[in-house]
Amino acid sequence: MSPDPAKVLLIEDEPEIRRFLRVSLSAHGYDFMEEETGRAGLLRAASNPPDVVILDLGLPDAEGLDVIRELRTWSKVPTIVLSARGQERDKIAALDHGADDYVTKPFGIGELLARLRVALRHAESSQDGGGPSTFRVNNLRVELANRQVFVSDKELHLTPTEYRLLTTLVKHAGKVLTHRQLLKEVWGPDSVYETQYLRVFVNQLRQKIESDPARPKSLLTEPGVGYRMVAENNEEPKGC
Ligand code: CA
């Protein structure tokens, strides 16, 4: 709830996208900065620290992946990656190297604005020393402080692994977590390739928390990348 507008730094070489975001984000009250290259973007981020970075993965002078890697050596600024289709591997690598989220081109402004709000909210709650202790989405309620989970006010019994998986997703609600990040967090660093664990436990969890496990509304699949728990106030864009 800062009275100042949030500062957004866009690092992107395509003039049309820069123009589109300059107009849209300024109209939505953001303080907008832009750079065309990875180098200039990093310099700008260092000299005038933004509240959130939007980073194109294909830049003329650097891979977005290298930019995020360098940025993460000195900054925790929330970073949303813009990627073209077919950059799946780069997208996953960027998330694994500390990007917070991604938006695939072409994208709608509604989707990007929703991601920006999630990123800024996460940054705020991690400054407060870790978000609210109760998480609600759809008919799911997770009480982190007393480790209780409810669906439509009925308490659920989860196995320790199901609970760990659920709370990992909840703590990053609204953000995509890669298979690797989830496996590392829930099963430990030796298990990052055991994607079948994840499939099994995500299915189990959906049986318990989703009203229609075949059409999940809370625990969403990000095809080829990972999973995402819908953000608390349902800012997920509609449609595909
Ligand atoms: Ca580009």
Side-chain angles (χ1 to χ4, degrees):
M1 298 294 133
S2 144
D4 297 327
K7 264 194 277 182
V8 179
L9 170 61
L10 172 69
I11 308 176
E12 163 69 84
D13 61 318
E14 284 173 58
E16 298 77 31
I17 294 189
R18 287 208 310 277
R19 188 162 353 119
F20 171 59
L21 290 183
R22 188 188 311 134
V23 171
S24 317
L25 295 185
S26 304
H28 280 87
Y30 288 97
D31 181 353
F32 185 77
M33 309 185 275
E34 59 188 279
E35 293 294 346
E36 290 175 45
T37 63
R39 177 90 336 242
L42 285 166
L43 284 173
R44 177 71 83 102
S47 61
N48 188 0
D51 297 303
V52 61
V53 171
I54 304 173
L55 172 68
D56 177 30
L57 280 185
L59 292 166
D61 65 326
E63 291 298 323
L65 185 56
D66 296 326
V67 176
I68 184 83
R69 202 183 276 137
E70 185 167 336
L71 185 65
R72 280 292 170 262
T73 62
W74 49 268
S75 170
K76 286 185 179 155
V77 60
T79 300
I80 300 169
V81 157
L82 286 180
S83 71
R85 290 194 195 290
Q87 287 183 319
E88 208 86 312
R89 237 181 349 171
D90 303 335
K91 191 154 78 182
I92 294 168
L95 291 166
D96 282 337
H97 281 88
D100 296 270
D101 207 347
Y102 69 85
V103 172
T104 304
K105 294 175 186 173
F107 56 89
I109 190 65
E111 182 182 7
L112 184 69
L113 287 168
R115 299 280 186 259
L116 274 176
R117 286 192 296 268
V118 167
L120 288 165
R121 206 166 51 227
H122 272 278
E124 238 175 51
S125 64
S126 57
Q127 273 165 14
D128 298 346
S133 64
T134 301
F135 171 86
R136 285 189 186 80
V137 75
N138 300 323
N139 53 358
L140 172 70
R141 187 170 95 238
V142 182
E143 309 222 338
L144 294 161
N146 34 10
R147 303 174 65 90
Q148 285 175 304
V149 181
F150 300 85
V151 165
S152 306
D153 293 324
K154 193 168 169 284
E155 189 173 358
L156 291 186
H157 295 282
L158 300 181
T159 67
T161 305
E162 288 168 352
Y163 182 77
R164 207 151 57 229
L165 176 60
L166 177 64
T167 52
T168 302
L169 286 157
V170 158
K171 284 173 190 161
H172 300 275
K175 287 169 49 171
V176 62
L177 293 176
T178 64
H179 298 128
R180 190 188 170 90
Q181 287 170 331
L182 282 165
L183 285 161
K184 191 170 163 198
E185 193 73 24
V186 178
W187 283 272
D190 295 337
S191 303
V192 293
Y193 299 107
E194 311 288 346
T195 46
Q196 77 279 12
Y197 292 180
L198 252 185
R199 263 198 306 277
V200 169
F201 278 87
V202 163
N203 279 337
Q204 274 176 220
L205 202 50
R206 279 178 174 156
Q207 300 295 331
K208 297 185 179 181
I209 67 168
E210 299 281 357
S211 28
D212 181 359
R215 283 183 201 74
K217 290 203 172 79
S218 304
L219 202 180
L220 308 181
T221 298
E222 293 285 324
V225 178
Y227 296 94
R228 182 196 301 270
M229 179 61 72
V230 172
E232 229 165 342
N233 47 359
N234 273 317
E235 287 173 336
E236 289 298 302
K238 296 276 176 270
C240 304

